Amino acid sequence: MELLENYWLYFLVGQFPNGPLGGLALTILLGAGALLLAMPLGVLLGLARVSHSRWLRWPVTALVYVVRGTPLLMVVFWAYFFLPSLTGQKTGQFATMLAALVIFNGAYLAEIVRAGIQGVPRGQWESAQSLGLRYVSTMRRVILPQALRNMLPSLVNQFVTTLKETSLGYIIGLSEVSFIASQINNQVLTQPLAIYGIAALTYFLICFGLSRLSYSLEARLNA
Amino acid sequence: MSQFDFSVVLTGEFRHWLVSGFLLSLKLTGITWLLALPLGSGIALCRLSSVTALRWFGATFVEVIRNIPLLMHLLFWYFAVPELLPWPARDWLNTHGAESICAVIALTLYTAAYMAEDVRSGIRAVPATQLEAARALGFGFLASMRRIVLPQAIRITVPPLISQTLSLWKNTSIATVIGTAELMYQAQRVETATFRGVETFVVTTVAYLSVSLLITAGAVWYQRRFPVRAS
Amino acid sequence: MIEFRGVNKYFGKLHALADVNETIARGEVVVVCGPSGSGKSTLIRTINRLEPIDSGQILLDGRDIHSRGLDVDRFRAGIGFVFQQFNLFPHLRVIDNCTLAPIHLGRLSPAEARDQALELLERVGLADKAQAFPRELSGGQQQRVAIARALALRPPVMLFDEPTSALDPEMVSEVLLVIRDLAHQGMTMVCVTHEMGFAREVADRMLFMDHGKILERAAPADFFDHPQHPRTQKFLADIRSPFA
């Protein structure tokens, strides 16, 4: 199709190298980056959620509930309007979106991590305790490695969700897939069905592929 | 930054905007929920049926819809689909709140796909022997589902469904992208008009949170009152 | 070496340990038996503080194990515990299971820990499985690794909580032989088990528990041939299966 011929590069990488990176490449970069940065945050928050100290547990639980009760778009707007004053610099759309995604997914990952930790059998705690290992060592060397392994399918699912969440960048003008699709539509005007259809198909192929991966991961882990 | 003045956003015209946005968000949530639950349950039954074509249809529905972002769904229904309609239909749509209609359609399909999976898991959690016993007594597939399996499945399905409702409530915010005048849209309007970002967003966040926390409290209450009993 | 003074423990309303008084001497091998729910596992788990107690005292070498200043983790490292469910760390190889604690408690360097682990695995007959993962081993092999792992900290006392109850019958003796060897080397041991033949041969003293109380204490010969307490007699009669 003529449409594909003219716009495939723009769709894949945006205006790069004549401008900032965009399109599919940007979506994947943003999604992967957000999840990678959110992981440490999620692990820290998750550890706080299972901590014995209520001074750690309660504030973090409250934080997680607040973030999870707020629409992601709201978090994006908070970041958009207030990151510049916080950092003292004009914050680009990519950084804004990244910050919002990291905070939002950190809270969701906290719950996944918590479930992962609580899913490790009690016997593992007891045998580590019997050997005299301290709490931190036990968590680091015995519990977390097992918890993270069990969490892998959930993590892949969360990556799929994050990739879909990058579409909200549209609203702040970030050149990710949805925004590029509408830019193309605004130029061509006569083929919205094809344009949005292709964009939707792109999301579908990537997300479906990843969720199949998560499915087979789960099957292998349960074997 | 100058002193925060909440009264600006909480009185007069701006308050009216925010309140009407909040009410529309609630309406979108309610209408979508009422449409999505039967649709989702139907899809779930398709996936569980013995007819291959139905199973395939159900699976395709769920996988296609869930793997495409909601924003994309909204753009698609608002910008692409009306092009397919004949002019009179398009006119009617534009004069009757196309934004809200398209929002409801997109939200309903999206939410139904997730609910379908929750309902399906709930039904599958009921031991297969229950269905067998019902069939052995002479009930057809649908009657067995209705009388024996679904009532048991419902108790298991309610917590995930409550969680879906929470997601739905938050998802209504994305409808702003096609111009639906719900809470997020109105918040942006107020911010642009008053330049009072903090006050506007605090009020909006509190509004979203109040309903979110209500829904979460409902979930906690339900799980205490109706714990899932192992048979 | 280990002393119980007036120990009581409750699980809610259940009186799991009822006024337990007992002394276990250094080098003694004590076997605790009794019906399910008698409190035998609870008893042994209170020794390394896996279970708290509600009243009374437990002393190790004269020191109250619940005293305020006591470092619980160091205390536990001084007692070896073998679980019914083995509880090996599935994400670590056999050798790493055995070197984890000595290295991270700062007792040995990695090289020393490895040498010691190989030596211990040799003793339990599994040196060739050092690089394997627990899931590749049979139950009996896993339990023997668990014993080696517990021995890696060179504890003066070892506790066994029904070490063979989760094993298929053909693997029971390989584990019991290892425990017997330990006993013959002079290890202080408390073992909860149903394996009466093993108990008869290895124990210095038998304890019979029922409903949280120690009802009978005797040397194995006296215990099995001339049980005094009626409930001990009933228990022994019940386990002498008519199908044996």
Side-chain angles (χ1 to χ4, degrees):
Chain A
M1 279 162 64
E2 196 192 283
L3 195 65
L4 278 171
E5 265 182 47
N6 291 340
Y7 292 104
W8 70 274
L9 193 62
Y10 182 48
F11 185 71
L12 281 179
V13 291
Q15 291 171 330
F16 194 78
N18 299 323
L21 187 67
L24 185 58
L26 178 66
T27 291
I28 295 181
L29 193 66
L30 180 59
L35 197 64
L36 281 172
L37 289 175
M39 263 309 286
L41 179 61
V43 170
L44 282 174
L45 292 177
L47 285 172
R49 288 276 275 136
V50 299
S51 148
H52 297 304
S53 150
R54 72 173 76 147
W55 296 111
L56 266 180
R57 233 177 28 235
W58 287 1
V60 172
T61 305
L63 178 71
V64 167
Y65 271 102
V66 165
V67 174
R68 283 162 58 110
T70 312
L72 174 56
L73 194 48
M74 193 80 241
V75 178
V76 172
F77 279 135
W78 277 107
Y80 189 70
F81 281 97
F82 301 114
L83 266 183
S85 27
L86 257 160
T87 59
Q89 300 174 355
K90 188 169 174 336
T91 318
Q93 297 136 333
F94 182 82
T96 305
M97 205 57 209
L98 187 67
L101 283 175
V102 169
I103 296 172
F104 198 71
N105 280 294
Y108 275 87
L109 282 174
E111 287 305 281
I112 294 179
V113 169
R114 180 179 70 89
I117 291 176
Q118 290 177 332
V120 177
R122 199 166 158 52
Q124 292 292 303
W125 282 100
E126 291 192 341
S127 58
Q129 280 174 331
S130 306
L131 289 169
L133 286 172
R134 298 202 179 280
Y135 183 83
V136 175
S137 286
T138 304
M139 197 44 107
R140 214 176 121 211
R141 295 186 187 279
V142 176
I143 305 296
L144 270 182
Q146 295 184 60
L148 290 172
R149 202 159 302 204
N150 293 338
M151 278 160 53
L152 269 174
S154 297
L155 286 180
V156 177
N157 285 337
Q158 195 63 26
F159 183 45
V160 172
T161 305
T162 309
L163 281 175
K164 295 194 298 175
E165 287 169 353
T166 58
S167 60
L168 291 187
Y170 173 101
I171 298 179
I172 59 171
L174 182 66
S175 301
E176 47 68 55
V177 169
S178 310
F179 186 78
I180 295 250
S182 65
Q183 294 290 78
I184 298 176
N185 187 45
N186 288 342
Q187 281 189 23
V188 175
L189 288 174
T190 53
Q191 302 186 54
L193 203 58
I195 295 169
Y196 286 119
I198 292 174
L201 184 67
T202 310
Y203 278 114
F204 173 72
L205 288 173
I206 297 182
C207 294
F208 185 66
L210 281 171
S211 50
R212 288 287 100 185
L213 174 68
S214 141
Y215 194 65
S216 72
L217 259 176
E218 203 169 352
R220 270 215 300 172
L221 281 175
N222 287 336
Chain B
M1 221 183 235
S2 55
Q3 268 300 87
F4 295 140
D5 183 10
F6 281 86
S7 63
V8 177
V9 299
L10 287 176
T11 54
E13 195 187 6
F14 302 127
R15 179 178 128 184
H16 177 72
W17 290 357
L18 289 175
V19 169
S20 76
F22 184 68
L23 290 174
L24 183 58
S25 292
L26 284 173
K27 262 193 247 174
L28 288 173
T29 307
I31 297 176
T32 304
W33 200 91
L34 288 171
L35 293 173
L37 188 54
L39 177 60
S41 305
I43 300 283
L45 288 176
C46 283
R47 293 198 70 170
L48 292 167
S49 108
S50 38
V51 179
T52 314
L54 280 178
R55 272 203 319 268
W56 190 86
F57 169 72
T60 311
F61 182 94
V62 168
E63 290 301 329
V64 168
I65 295 198
R66 291 200 325 172
N67 285 304
I68 296 175
L70 179 58
L71 189 117
M72 206 69 240
H73 285 283
L74 284 161
L75 293 178
F76 186 81
W77 284 100
Y78 189 68
F79 290 116
V81 169
E83 304 290 316
L84 297 172
L85 298 175
W87 272 109
R90 255 190 263 183
D91 267 344
W92 183 90
L93 208 58
N94 284 327
T95 50
H96 285 84
E99 295 82 17
S100 293
I101 294 178
C102 293
V104 168
I105 296 176
L107 281 168
T108 301
L109 290 175
Y110 194 74
T111 310
Y114 281 90
M115 282 184 170
E117 285 305 279
D118 292 331
V119 171
R120 187 169 77 109
S121 305
I123 293 178
R124 286 176 69 175
V126 177
T129 44
Q130 293 287 304
L131 182 59
E132 281 172 5
R135 297 305 299 266
L137 286 169
F139 288 104
F141 178 75
L142 278 178
S144 308
M145 279 294 171
R146 195 163 62 84
R147 288 174 182 284
I148 310 291
V149 177
L150 277 178
Q152 296 184 56
I154 285 173
R155 179 177 285 227
I156 301 175
T157 314
V158 167
L161 280 183
I162 295 184
S163 169
Q164 265 335 305
T165 311
L166 180 61
S167 294
L168 170 57
W169 166 245
K170 294 188 293 170
N171 283 341
T172 57
S173 63
I174 306 182
T176 184
V177 101
I178 58 172
T180 314
E182 44 68 60
L183 183 53
M184 191 61 80
Y185 180 91
Q186 299 289 15
Q188 283 176 271
R189 258 181 100 195
V190 171
E191 195 280 330
T192 315
T194 65
F195 288 98
R196 296 204 171 268
V198 176
E199 295 92 328
T200 315
F201 290 142
V202 166
V203 169
T204 313
T205 307
V206 167
Y208 274 112
L209 271 177
S210 59
V211 177
S212 300
L213 292 177
L214 250 164
I215 297 177
T216 310
V220 172
W221 170 84
Y222 185 84
Q223 286 191 291
R224 290 232 178 103
R225 179 85 173 70
F226 299 104
V228 179
R229 299 184 241 96
S231 50
Chain C
M1 188 179 189
I2 302 175
E3 211 185 317
F4 283 81
R5 287 186 191 165
V7 172
N8 281 285
K9 179 175 175 60
Y10 293 86
F11 283 115
K13 288 204 193 122
L14 178 69
H15 202 171
L17 291 177
D19 212 38
V20 172
N21 289 289
E22 191 60 45
T23 307
I24 295 157
R26 183 175 295 274
E28 239 196 322
V29 174
V30 173
V31 168
V32 184
C33 65
S36 303
S38 54
K40 19 184 234 299
S41 278
T42 312
L43 181 78
I44 202 177
R45 285 162 62 96
T46 56
I47 300 178
N48 76 340
R49 288 180 63 170
L50 280 179
E51 299 285 353
I53 58 176
D54 294 309
S55 70
Q57 278 186 315
I58 302 178
L59 306 174
L60 180 70
D61 283 337
R63 282 183 64 199
D64 184 346
I65 71 173
H66 292 98
S67 62
R68 281 202 168 279
L70 190 85
D71 183 339
V72 183
D73 298 316
R74 273 191 77 194
F75 161 72
R76 287 201 182 114
I79 300 182
F81 198 101
V82 175
F83 294 85
Q84 183 175 345
Q85 300 294 340
F86 345 129
N87 288 337
L88 290 181
F89 303 134
H91 59 296
L92 297 176
R93 297 178 193 275
V94 161
I95 185 118
D96 297 316
N97 262 274
C98 298
T99 57
L100 180 70
I103 294 176
H104 287 282
L105 295 178
R107 304 263 180 109
L108 295 176
S109 74
E112 288 169 342
R114 278 188 81 85
D115 289 336
Q116 181 189 255
L118 285 169
E119 186 200 310
L120 288 169
L121 287 171
E122 180 77 48
R123 262 169 82 181
V124 303
L126 288 170
D128 57 329
K129 298 282 185 190
Q131 293 299 325
F133 281 96
R135 62 176 173 272
E136 301 166 42
L137 303 181
S138 73
Q141 291 170 325
Q142 289 189 50
Q143 192 62 300
R144 285 188 276 152
V145 172
I147 296 174
R149 179 178 68 169
L151 289 172
L153 290 170
R154 305 218 170 272
V157 60
M158 288 280 282
L159 305 176
F160 294 87
D161 187 358
E162 299 204 39
T164 56
S165 298
L167 297 175
D168 288 336
E170 69 269 16
M171 293 189 256
V172 168
S173 34
E174 69 194 57
V175 174
L176 293 181
L177 284 171
V178 169
I179 304 179
R180 186 189 67 175
D181 286 341
L182 270 180
H184 287 167
Q185 286 154 26
M187 174 70 79
T188 311
M189 281 167 36
V190 182
C191 188
V192 174
T193 186
H194 296 298
E195 297 289 333
M196 295 299 135
F198 163 80
R200 197 180 186 122
E201 193 192 319
V202 176
D204 293 321
R205 205 151 50 99
M206 301 288 303
L207 295 180
F208 174 74
M209 283 188 76
D210 195 7
H211 289 99
K213 291 191 163 66
I214 300 181
L215 294 182
E216 188 150 347
R217 314 160 165 74
D222 296 324
F223 183 84
F224 287 107
D225 297 334
H226 308 289
Q228 304 286 312
H229 198 286
R231 270 193 250 151
T232 318
Q233 295 165 355
K234 180 173 189 310
F235 176 71
L236 289 174
D238 285 342
I239 64 175
R240 276 179 189 125
S241 156
F243 300 108

